[in-house]
Amino acid sequence: MAQQGSKIYPVILSGGVGQRLWPLSRTDFPKQFQSLSSDQSMIIETAERVQNTELFQRITVVCNSAHRFFVAAHFQERGIKPRSIILETAPRNTGPAIAAATMDIYKDDPNALILVLPSDHYIKDTEAFEESIKTLTPIVSQGYLSTLGVTPTYPETGYGYIKHGQRMAGSNNIYHVEHFAEKPDRITAEGFIETGKYTWNAGIFFCHAGTVIDEMKIHYPRIHQTVLKSVTDKYKDLDFTRLSDDFLNAPDISFDVAIMEQTNKAIVMPVSLSWNDIGSWGSLWDVEDKDEQLNVCVGDVVAYNTKNSYLRSTDRRLLATVGLDNVVIVSSEDAVLVANRNNTQEVKTLLEHIKSQGQGQFLKGRMKRQPWGYSRLLQEGCNYTSKEVMIKPGYETATQVHFKKSEHWVILEGEAEIKINGVTSTLSEGQSTYIPERTEHSLKNNRDKNLVIYEVQCGEIDDTDIIRIQDSVSKYIKNITPSSNG
């Protein structure tokens, strides 16, 4: 049982790839790192929701190793210092992810309360959210596993549902969970709402750490055993916490299925939050401001005789429509999605079809994010590629060597400090240089504006043809060194 004054530790899960928001969300730059419903990325919106230091401790993040620098850079830019950024060895769903964060926090504070938050959900009313957590705190401290259930406003088929049973003694609005329901068809969803006993499953869990661990031992010991070993043998990598390879043996299963559906300690608090999981373009249309024709227009868009639609251009091209109703059109740098707004949940299935047609490269995207900036593929052939490379102010790339290709750099914007085989020189806009094969080289931006170069690689184009001599990224994330005590 938790003691009076137990601390609340927010845990942000950032392992998803947001397939239904393709072509904007890609496997190498998923939706939680993008600005969709505001000018902030979704993971930052989630983090700022729990920055009330009187109520919450520092956040713990669980993420894919490939996205670690995105997480670090996003938090650093907002001045948010996580307690820890935990790197999964491989994606294993929310069950093992929550177990890892819980066990990591429990080792520092056995009296901790764990608040689990998806990184990509929209909640408009932060004060109402905080009040819900305050209301649940004394009950969670007694050893219950709680979740927030959002009161449904329409028969959504893209969400799971929670049916509540008997009201808890002494509570006005907290119920024992009767059962969880997977995403229903429309007729079933309508029936759920008519009963008045179902809420949307928001995937937000609030539990005592010790209770979570105990229930895992009982209901899914394989999660407990494998994750405990991976947390016990964790190790530091720069400013990140890497789980050991034992995490690979953890089952791929959700926390809902593994624990919440099995335990007799599950409770739900229905809330009337303005909430959305931003799981599709249709759900994004739901939460964004609309014009007089009920269109959401983002970017360079001209909508004529068009209504009830979501229109987004992200590639600096004009998107113009005429005579359309209830559609979604999203134009990115290398792909365009056109869909009926009622069918946006099927985009994930569409991606499987795209992959089966041999077009899987469009699932990753042409832009590769790096801790120092990005590289954008412009053109490629059998023995060459051309890229736009951006280095942020004060950042530098790793020193590296290629054995199968040479590089040509042209400075388009800013000033570059270039080091080739240990010799440093400075190039300004319009100047260029050549880097032969088997040559150590790096780029640095000492100025206060972005450095942009045009890069052409010639030779055998192989993504594995790179040896990094050093990686200086750690000094750029030194301000987010994890704390051991929240």
Side-chain angles (χ1 to χ4, degrees):
M1 297 294 179
Q3 301 173 359
Q4 187 175 4
S6 297
K7 298 175 181 178
I8 301 174
Y9 292 80
V11 173
I12 297 179
L13 304 181
S14 182
V17 296
Q19 290 180 303
R20 292 181 180 87
L21 286 171
W22 182 88
L24 192 61
S25 183
R26 307 292 181 101
T27 56
D28 53 3
F29 191 50
K31 64 176 180 176
Q32 61 265 33
F33 302 113
Q34 305 205 32
S35 303
L36 295 175
S37 59
S38 74
D39 59 354
Q40 297 295 335
S41 67
M42 301 194 73
I43 194 170
I44 290 299
E45 288 182 347
T46 303
E48 292 188 340
R49 203 170 293 139
V50 287
Q51 288 305 298
N52 181 346
T53 56
E54 295 182 0
L55 185 60
F56 303 113
Q57 300 299 299
R58 290 182 182 175
I59 59 176
T60 296
V61 184
V62 183
C63 71
N64 185 316
S65 180
H67 300 153
R68 64 195 185 280
F69 291 123
F70 297 159
V71 173
H74 278 243
F75 288 146
Q76 183 190 23
E77 289 170 2
R78 296 297 296 175
I80 297 173
K81 298 180 180 180
R83 170 192 168 275
S84 181
I85 300 176
I86 299 174
L87 307 182
E88 296 177 301
T89 312
R92 285 295 182 270
N93 215 316
T94 58
I98 292 174
T102 300
M103 291 176 183
D104 184 63
I105 294 169
Y106 183 82
K107 291 180 70 174
D108 291 339
D109 184 357
N111 201 38
L113 302 180
I114 309 297
L115 175 61
V116 178
L117 305 169
S119 63
D120 51 5
H121 288 189
Y122 166 91
I123 297 177
K124 187 175 183 179
D125 192 344
T126 299
E127 290 185 4
F129 169 75
E130 287 187 1
E131 287 302 315
S132 300
I133 301 305
K134 290 177 182 177
T135 300
L136 281 168
T137 296
I139 300 173
V140 168
S141 298
Q142 297 174 32
Y144 288 97
L145 304 179
S146 73
T147 183
L148 296 184
V150 178
T151 303
T153 54
Y154 61 94
E156 172 61 55
T157 60
Y159 300 156
Y161 286 72
I162 304 171
K163 184 180 182 181
H164 60 256
Q166 184 178 358
R167 190 194 310 268
M168 291 192 70
S171 168
N172 292 327
N173 192 40
I174 301 175
Y175 302 83
H176 295 278
V177 171
E178 186 167 316
H179 72 84
F180 287 77
E182 294 300 319
K183 299 174 182 178
D185 57 33
R186 185 172 183 84
I187 294 177
T188 303
E190 290 173 348
F192 285 169
I193 293 176
E194 288 176 3
T195 68
K197 293 186 176 182
Y198 283 83
T199 58
W200 287 333
N201 183 359
I204 298 172
F205 304 102
F206 186 32
C207 319
H208 181 254
T211 306
V212 172
I213 294 171
D214 289 342
E215 292 299 293
M216 284 181 177
K217 290 179 183 177
I218 296 170
H219 299 293
Y220 223 111
R222 185 180 164 201
I223 291 180
H224 179 265
Q225 295 162 4
T226 55
V227 176
L228 178 61
K229 186 70 166 60
S230 73
V231 172
T232 301
D233 294 339
K234 67 185 181 183
Y235 58 97
K236 298 293 292 183
D237 178 1
L238 299 177
D239 290 300
F240 306 101
T241 298
R242 283 193 180 272
L243 301 174
S244 75
D245 286 346
D246 297 279
F247 194 79
L248 292 170
N249 299 320
D252 185 352
I253 190 169
S254 71
F255 186 73
D256 309 55
V257 173
I259 306 301
M260 295 298 285
E261 292 184 8
Q262 311 301 324
T263 183
N264 61 3
K265 297 181 178 181
I267 59 174
V268 59
M269 180 177 178
V271 292
S272 296
L273 293 174
S274 180
W275 169 89
N276 197 301
D277 77 346
I278 313 295
S280 68
W281 293 112
S283 62
L284 197 55
W285 180 90
D286 290 335
V287 303
E288 292 210 22
D289 294 334
K290 304 168 186 65
D291 63 20
E292 294 180 355
Q293 301 302 314
L294 298 182
N295 295 317
V296 174
C297 299
V298 183
D300 293 328
V301 175
V302 175
Y304 176 74
N305 189 21
T306 298
K307 58 185 179 180
N308 304 311
S309 296
Y310 186 93
L311 310 170
R312 188 182 193 111
S313 177
T314 61
D315 55 3
R316 306 174 194 170
R317 291 183 294 182
L318 176 65
L319 171 59
T321 65
V322 60
L324 297 178
D325 182 14
N326 202 50
V327 300
V328 167
I329 302 177
V330 180
S331 175
S332 72
E333 59 188 350
D334 64 342
V336 178
L337 171 70
V338 181
N340 186 297
R341 191 162 58 84
N342 297 332
N343 296 88
T344 55
Q345 290 287 347
E346 298 176 38
V347 171
K348 184 176 181 179
T349 304
L350 171 64
L351 297 193
E352 295 173 0
H353 185 66
I354 289 173
K355 189 174 181 179
S356 71
Q357 298 297 305
Q359 301 293 320
Q361 71 272 21
F362 291 103
L363 307 188
K364 293 189 65 175
R366 303 174 73 87
M367 179 178 289
K368 185 175 182 180
R369 304 281 173 166
Q370 300 284 1
W372 40 257
Y374 67 77
S375 63
R376 185 199 307 271
L377 179 64
L378 301 176
Q379 194 174 10
E380 60 183 335
C382 61
N383 60 353
Y384 76 93
T385 62
S386 63
K387 300 178 181 179
E388 175 188 277
V389 178
M390 187 276 284
I391 313 290
K392 294 185 288 188
Y395 282 69
E396 64 183 298
T397 66
T399 299
Q400 53 193 257
V401 177
H402 305 298
F403 292 90
K404 303 176 183 179
K405 60 195 174 191
S406 62
E407 295 182 332
H408 299 258
W409 292 344
V410 180
I411 311 303
L412 302 181
E413 298 178 17
E415 183 177 276
E417 179 183 295
I418 297 174
K419 186 177 291 186
I420 300 176
N421 279 342
V423 178
T424 301
S425 61
T426 300
L427 296 181
S428 302
E429 294 179 9
Q431 295 183 313
S432 62
T433 191
Y434 168 68
I435 301 96
E437 298 174 2
R438 302 176 180 273
T439 302
E440 291 186 13
H441 58 279
S442 65
L443 267 172
K444 186 176 182 179
N445 181 5
N446 289 321
R447 300 302 180 184
D448 58 1
K449 67 175 184 177
N450 291 342
L451 166 64
V452 181
I453 74 168
Y454 179 72
E455 175 185 281
V456 178
Q457 298 179 342
C458 297
E460 185 176 338
I461 305 304
D462 180 354
D463 288 341
T464 65
D465 176 30
I466 182 171
I467 301 295
R468 289 183 172 85
I469 309 302
Q470 64 182 26
D471 195 334
S472 57
V473 71
S474 59
K475 72 179 182 180
Y476 301 119
I477 55 175
K478 61 185 178 183
N479 293 328
I480 59 166
T481 301
S483 159
S484 62
N485 56 12

